[in-house]
Amino acid sequence: MAAQPEPTAESLDAYWMPFTANRQFKGKPRMLSRASGMYYETPEGRRVLDGTAGLWCVNAGHGRKEITRAVAEQLEVMDYAPPFQMGHPAAFELANAIVRIAPKGLEHVFFTNSGSESVDTALKIALAYHRVKGDAARVRLLGRERGYHGVGFGGISVGGMVANRKAWPTAMIPGVDHLAHTHDIKRNAFTRGLPTHGVELADDLERLVALHDASTIAAVIVEPIAGSTGVVLPPQGYLKRLREICDKYGILLIFDEVITGFGRTGAAFAAQEFGVTPDMITCAKGLTNGCVPMGAVLASKKIYDAFMQGPPNAIELFHGYTYSAHPIACAAGLATLDIYQREGLLARAAQTGPVFEKALHELRGLPHVIDIRNYGLVGAVELQPIAGTPGARAFSVFLKCFERGLLIRTTGDTIALSPALIIEPKHIEELFGVLSQALRDSA
Ligand SMILES: Cc1ncc(COP(=O)(O)O)c(C=O)c1O
């Protein structure tokens, strides 16, 4: 490929970058221009090990030719088909393929284009479900502090990250409340796998029931493992107890598996890994290996059947997107799931996890490291913030890593790692070699 011209301040101006310090970035851009397997390449030809599977999405590694071919073929055959009152074969095939790997009982799939849309879709389904069941007083949605559920108004309302909420205080959907988060360094620092302490935090749901009454609560949404808020793990037994309390009061349980779905924890979904089946799962990212935007909501038979009442010629749910089940996304999704199955990637994190865990925990003792957390192929290193400038310490490590050929992700002062499931021991060695040096140099 011909060398690309150096970006100028002018050429960078038009693009308003998401979740990015635009002026800082445009002053010293960090560009990626190619990707293959475990690596990105910069326009100058520098190789960068991808420690984050893009943004938790390229689970089968970059540049998978099977997906490229499937997308190209679908574009040749049929570029687009309206999803309202019309169908196309790949949409039904993909829904069936997802149900085959989903937790038992989640038998229906509603397609969206992103994690945020999946979340808002699931929240809307939850509210409408109680309404069709004649329980229209159940209008409250519960999220959790430090939760991230995308950026739609529904998602930021149930979400619990202050920076994502504070600019829109009056735009939140009404009736929302939040469970306490489960992050507890004091008791759980440097735990390998799920934290031992904190199952009782699930009882916070009992507090909210006592406060609002169960008859007003439609659903609870949580991430089985919270990623964007700095990798917060569920204490042992916590999710099971949440499920029990939801069952006790007729509250729907939604797992937001946008990052944990498609093999990240060692099973297809974290619900299976942790042995807890929610009423709905929201997913996106790994569904198409990050190649084409697509999300999905998996719903239980109980939920779907509740809507399939009334006159058969009536639309049951007034919701959907122009690009729901887009043929290109379906083609990418089918090819992706095929790769996951053929290469055993959905279980790979359980095999590679121990090697990853060992290397990750060897960072203990390096300057400013106050906690290390991991599960499957998710890892986090939490650093002591610099007083007065939260996030600055981790960001400087991020910059050092990028200069030395490693892409990591930071959120606050936590470094989050989520490599592609194809990662091999040699990549793990390279990843932690660069990261440990960057941590030492940031001291
Ligand atoms: C748990 C969770 N939910 C929702 C989202 C939003 O997904 P998207 O950025 O595709 O809208 C994310 C994104 O990282 C996520 O981690």
Side-chain angles (χ1 to χ4, degrees):
M1 204 162 83
Q4 288 158 358
E6 281 280 306
T8 59
E10 206 175 44
S11 69
L12 299 176
D13 202 36
Y15 175 31
W16 189 344
M17 299 174 73
F19 279 120
T20 298
N22 275 250
R23 289 156 302 163
Q24 182 192 49
F25 179 95
K26 291 171 189 181
K28 195 165 184 248
R30 300 173 294 278
M31 300 290 213
L32 303 168
S33 54
R34 298 173 76 89
S36 173
M38 286 298 301
Y39 291 89
Y40 279 110
E41 203 179 288
T42 68
E44 317 80 59
R46 228 164 38 79
R47 245 164 54 120
V48 178
L49 176 63
D50 182 3
T52 53
L55 200 48
W56 309 78
C57 47
V58 188
N59 289 3
H62 293 279
R64 301 303 305 245
K65 295 282 179 285
E66 304 91 320
I67 306 174
T68 313
R69 274 195 297 273
V71 166
E73 267 166 33
Q74 182 59 56
L75 267 170
E76 291 285 345
V77 175
M78 184 175 69
D79 50 3
Y80 176 79
F84 306 164
Q85 302 286 21
M86 295 301 293
H88 66 89
F92 295 91
E93 275 173 48
L94 182 58
N96 286 325
I98 295 171
V99 167
R100 279 198 291 277
I101 60 165
K104 208 164 169 293
L106 298 187
E107 296 179 8
H108 301 278
V109 181
F110 195 102
F111 286 112
T112 72
N113 307 289
S114 67
S116 298
E117 287 182 0
S118 296
V119 166
D120 281 12
T121 297
L123 298 178
K124 286 177 75 177
I125 290 176
L127 293 171
Y129 164 78
H130 290 295
R131 192 183 152 90
V132 296
K133 296 267 292 174
D135 210 356
R138 287 193 185 256
V139 291
R140 284 186 191 284
L141 298 166
L142 306 182
R144 192 169 56 186
E145 293 167 352
R146 296 194 61 151
Y148 181 66
H149 300 293
V151 292
F153 283 118
I156 61 169
S157 302
V158 291
M161 292 175 73
V162 64
N164 297 351
R165 294 164 55 86
K166 68 181 178 198
W168 304 278
T170 56
M172 298 288 161
I173 55 175
V176 170
D177 210 337
H178 293 79
L179 300 168
H181 66 74
T182 64
H183 193 39
D184 184 353
I185 293 198
K186 269 205 189 102
R187 291 197 292 170
N188 291 319
F190 299 103
T191 305
R192 293 169 187 238
L194 297 189
T196 6
H197 303 285
V199 61
E200 73 286 351
L201 290 163
D203 295 336
D204 208 36
L205 182 52
E206 289 278 8
R207 177 183 67 84
L208 294 181
V209 167
L211 179 66
H212 299 297
D213 199 80
S215 66
T216 70
I217 303 173
V220 179
I221 182 166
V222 293
E223 301 152 271
I225 295 176
S228 302
T229 183
V231 181
V232 179
L233 298 167
Q236 288 171 25
Y238 172 91
L239 294 171
K240 188 164 170 282
R241 195 175 291 184
L242 265 193
R243 174 75 274 182
E244 285 162 7
I245 302 172
C246 284
D247 285 346
K248 184 167 149 195
Y249 296 111
I251 298 168
L252 294 178
L253 179 61
I254 306 167
F255 278 177
D256 186 346
E257 295 227 31
V258 168
I259 64 152
T260 51
F262 305 104
R264 182 60 47 205
T265 62
F269 293 93
Q272 292 143 324
E273 179 67 16
F274 298 141
V276 179
T277 306
D279 300 289
M280 280 186 270
I281 284 179
T282 53
C283 61
K285 296 195 189 260
L287 172 53
T288 59
N289 204 35
C291 294
V292 182
M294 183 178 228
V297 177
L298 282 54
S300 68
K301 180 169 160 44
K302 171 182 88 173
I303 291 179
Y304 181 79
D305 287 352
F307 284 92
M308 301 302 130
Q309 308 295 326
N313 60 348
I315 291 171
E316 297 97 357
L317 181 67
F318 279 83
H319 181 72
Y321 303 94
T322 300
Y323 300 128
S324 282
H326 192 291
I328 309 309
C330 290
L334 282 165
T336 300
L337 294 193
D338 193 47
I339 294 173
Y340 290 159
Q341 294 288 357
R342 232 175 332 104
E343 299 183 3
L345 290 181
L346 297 176
R348 183 73 65 83
Q351 295 144 19
T352 323
V355 184
F356 179 77
E357 175 181 277
K358 183 168 178 294
L360 176 70
H361 280 268
E362 278 165 11
L363 302 177
R364 187 173 183 171
L366 290 185
H368 312 296
V369 172
I370 57 171
D371 188 21
I372 294 177
R373 304 182 280 281
N374 71 288
Y375 197 94
L377 278 173
V378 185
V381 182
E382 187 161 344
L383 305 177
Q384 182 70 50
I386 298 169
T389 46
R393 186 169 331 261
F395 195 72
S396 101
V397 176
F398 163 77
L399 292 178
K400 284 200 170 66
C401 284
F402 184 64
E403 279 162 19
R404 289 161 194 189
L406 170 66
L407 183 67
I408 59 171
R409 175 145 177 75
T410 65
T411 148
D413 275 295
T414 296
I415 293 163
L417 300 168
S418 56
L421 308 173
I422 58 164
I423 193 168
E424 293 173 23
K426 64 179 181 201
H427 304 120
I428 294 179
E429 199 179 310
E430 181 182 344
L431 192 165
F432 289 105
V434 177
L435 179 55
S436 59
Q437 198 52 51
L439 284 165
R440 279 195 191 91
D441 292 353
S442 304

